[in-house]
Amino acid sequence: MKRYIPFMKSPPFVAVIRLQGQIATGARSLNDAALAPVIEKAFTKGKPKAIALEINSPGGSAVQSSLIAARIRRLAAEKDIPVFAFVEDVAASGGYWLATAADEIFVDRGSIVGSIGVISSGFGLTGAIDKIGVERRVHTAGKSKSMMDPFKPEKPADVKRLKGLLDDLHVFFIDHVKSRRGARLVDNPDHFTGEIWVGDKAVEQGLADQIGHLVPVLKERFGDKVQLRRYGVKRSLFSRFGAQLIDDTVSSIEERAAFAQFGL
């Protein structure tokens, strides 16, 4: 009732956006299309004192990471609202990209942070297709259209071209991290090798600012009466059935594998 009575002051509140999972275009994943209305609502509903990002992500798409982080930064500048990131198990690769959208990054002493690099992975199935007696038929207009076809032998020229693309994305990632973390980063060339750090060491390297958890930090900054308003992507009951269920199962396996590379 307080917020509707003009002469009674409402307690301050912080909008909390949960960013959990792999970053990709799938229905279960973190992506800009799904998060856009969530982020917009968090920044514009009422007058939040700050935005808190709860992050637990092993990474994923560089483009989706960039789009989500850019949206957060744009709204933070437009609304003049500070953004804090709170890392749980992991903020690695694209997950760390999201964390750098914040003005300050807080981690648990066991949080895994970093992995500033780019990866492309797949399978070569030339042996399998030969064994089952299937003939592969591919016709292209343009010599590079079938680059890295998993059913054809790997070509050195294709590998070189792919490596160039990955290097371009890596430079983009590095530039972003440097622009956001600036002088807070210590001088260490290992920052951009895909290396990871845990808790206190991530703070020592300047990849994070402090050890801290969401509730106590926000109470310290905004008082004991601060309220939290949580925002996240909501999925309807019917979206869990049929083809969506199959897609969700595949996405869950991929996400599990992404977390597993960090021992989680």
Side-chain angles (χ1 to χ4, degrees), residues 32-259:
D32 186 60
L35 284 168
V38 175
I39 297 171
E40 297 279 347
K41 188 174 182 179
F43 273 95
T44 58
K45 189 173 182 179
K47 295 182 179 180
K49 289 291 185 180
I51 301 294
L53 308 176
E54 282 184 325
I55 299 175
N56 198 12
S57 174
S61 165
V63 172
Q64 294 302 319
S65 301
S66 176
L67 290 173
I68 295 167
R71 184 178 298 278
I72 292 170
R73 289 316 312 159
R74 174 177 60 78
L75 287 166
E78 287 179 1
K79 303 296 182 181
D80 193 24
I81 298 175
V83 180
F84 305 120
F86 296 88
V87 178
E88 296 182 353
D89 298 278
V90 58
S93 194
Y96 184 67
W97 198 317
L98 299 184
T100 60
D103 300 297
E104 295 181 59
I105 300 174
F106 297 86
V107 296
D108 182 84
R109 292 194 67 189
S111 298
I112 296 172
V113 177
S115 190
I116 302 169
V118 183
I119 185 172
S120 173
S121 60
F123 297 94
L125 302 173
T126 52
I129 199 170
D130 291 338
K131 286 183 178 180
I132 61 177
V134 176
E135 181 184 359
R136 173 79 163 159
R137 295 173 180 174
V138 179
H139 307 280
T140 68
K143 65 179 182 179
S144 299
K145 285 299 293 182
S146 62
M147 185 183 79
M148 303 303 291
D149 187 326
F151 293 101
K152 296 171 66 176
E154 196 172 57
K155 299 177 182 178
D158 286 353
V159 174
K160 182 178 179 180
R161 182 166 179 247
L162 177 61
K163 184 64 167 60
L165 296 174
L166 297 179
D167 287 343
D168 289 343
L169 287 172
H170 195 196
V171 170
F172 178 27
F173 194 175
I174 293 170
D175 288 345
H176 172 76
V177 172
K178 287 183 175 180
S179 70
R180 292 298 302 153
R181 298 302 296 172
R184 286 177 286 190
L185 288 173
V186 302
D187 185 12
N188 184 350
D190 287 342
H191 285 162
F192 308 117
T193 63
E195 183 62 85
I196 55 175
W197 286 265
V198 176
D200 292 301
K201 291 184 178 179
V203 175
E204 291 172 6
Q205 293 296 319
L207 295 169
D209 295 290
Q210 296 181 46
I211 302 295
H213 298 160
L214 187 143
V215 172
V217 168
L218 295 181
K219 283 188 173 182
E220 180 184 345
R221 297 293 179 94
F222 304 107
D224 289 338
K225 294 184 178 180
V226 66
Q227 297 180 349
L228 306 181
R229 297 185 188 174
R230 297 185 175 274
Y231 298 87
V233 177
K234 295 181 180 180
R235 301 173 63 231
S236 69
L237 177 64
F238 294 105
S239 71
R240 296 179 178 273
F241 294 95
Q244 185 61 53
L245 180 60
I246 298 173
D247 182 62
D248 286 354
T249 301
V250 174
S251 296
S252 294
I253 295 171
E254 292 176 344
E255 183 173 305
R256 185 68 247 150
F259 274 104

